[in-house]
Amino acid sequence: MDVVRGSFDKPAIRESAAALSGIAADLAARPPVDTAKVERLRAAIIGGDYRADPDAIASAMIALETVPKKA
């Protein structure tokens, strides 16, 4: 694969870098894991009270794979 030097869209790269920087800052400000939620789920699983909703799981998986279109 040949790459032509200098053919990159520098403004687009800067825009993407700025967006990624903002996302990284947002994630850094959040706790890495919601430990209270993990404990609630663990207790429900151990107690046999946890019921998975296959439709909700499928919808969430599809939403993760859906790329929003630019306006």
Side-chain angles (χ1 to χ4, degrees):
M1 176 170 79
D2 292 330
V3 176
V4 178
R5 294 191 189 278
S7 66
F8 296 104
D9 185 358
K10 290 181 183 178
I13 292 171
R14 281 191 210 104
E15 184 178 308
S16 295
L20 289 174
S21 179
I23 292 168
D26 182 49
L27 290 173
R30 296 180 185 190
V33 176
D34 183 346
T35 55
K37 184 174 184 177
V38 170
E39 289 306 316
R40 286 193 307 273
L41 286 170
R42 183 183 319 235
I45 292 168
I46 290 170
D49 299 322
Y50 180 78
R51 301 287 180 251
D53 180 351
D55 292 330
I57 294 168
S59 295
M61 291 174 69
I62 291 169
L64 287 173
E65 295 298 323
T66 304
V67 178
K69 307 252 185 223
K70 285 190 174 184

